[in-house]
Amino acid sequence: MAISVKGKGKNVARTRRHLRVRKRISGTAERPRLVVTRSSRHMVAQLVDDTTGRTLASASTLEADLRSAEGDKVAKARKVGELVAERAKSAGVDAAVFDRGGNKYHGRVAAVADGAREGGLTL
């Protein structure tokens, strides 16, 4: 990856941590990588096969049914995890490698993982 990580700041530090995580984690067709992207308002989860560079399934709080869902951001993040697990099952995937994206495994990031496990995905 040709990402410049010069300078200071939260996003630069997060990018550096993500690159450190990505050195060790890679997704395959039978066990893709569950990538979690977190912004201040939304959560996006994708199942990526790194051997072909394809996204197998995805879910996001930007979708209309999750946008109008009740609850706080953590509850919506759990729903994203459950939805991506359901879509993964329909794509024939039952296990994944979790990629926290340089974020702490805490709060909304952990809620996505818990929701995916509740949906039947093995992490």
Side-chain angles (χ1 to χ4, degrees):
M1 286 184 215
I3 298 175
S4 176
V5 287
K6 294 181 180 179
K8 296 183 180 183
K10 275 193 222 180
N11 206 27
V12 172
R14 190 200 63 77
T15 303
R16 191 177 300 122
R17 283 191 305 271
H18 191 199
L19 290 174
R20 201 163 50 230
V21 168
R22 285 285 289 123
K23 278 193 289 191
R24 287 175 271 140
I25 293 177
S26 181
T28 61
E30 53 274 352
R31 192 168 172 145
R33 181 168 51 101
L34 177 61
V35 187
V36 175
T37 306
R38 174 186 166 272
S39 74
S40 59
R41 293 179 74 182
H42 295 288
M43 294 294 289
V44 179
Q46 294 180 319
L47 281 170
V48 177
D49 176 7
D50 288 317
T51 57
T52 60
R54 290 185 53 224
T55 299
L56 306 175
S58 68
S60 169
T61 55
L62 292 164
E63 297 173 14
D65 55 338
L66 286 177
R67 224 181 237 267
S68 61
E70 289 295 319
D72 59 349
K73 292 190 278 189
V74 176
K76 287 183 181 182
R78 183 178 294 273
K79 293 251 192 242
V80 167
E82 292 170 359
L83 190 58
V84 78
E86 175 187 319
R87 291 176 182 171
K89 289 284 189 180
S90 65
V93 175
D94 58 351
V97 180
F98 191 71
D99 180 5
R100 60 189 172 88
N103 299 304
K104 279 186 179 178
Y105 186 82
H106 179 267
R108 289 188 284 153
V109 175
V112 170
D114 293 339
R117 284 188 195 102
E118 286 175 12
L121 205 59
T122 304
L123 297 181

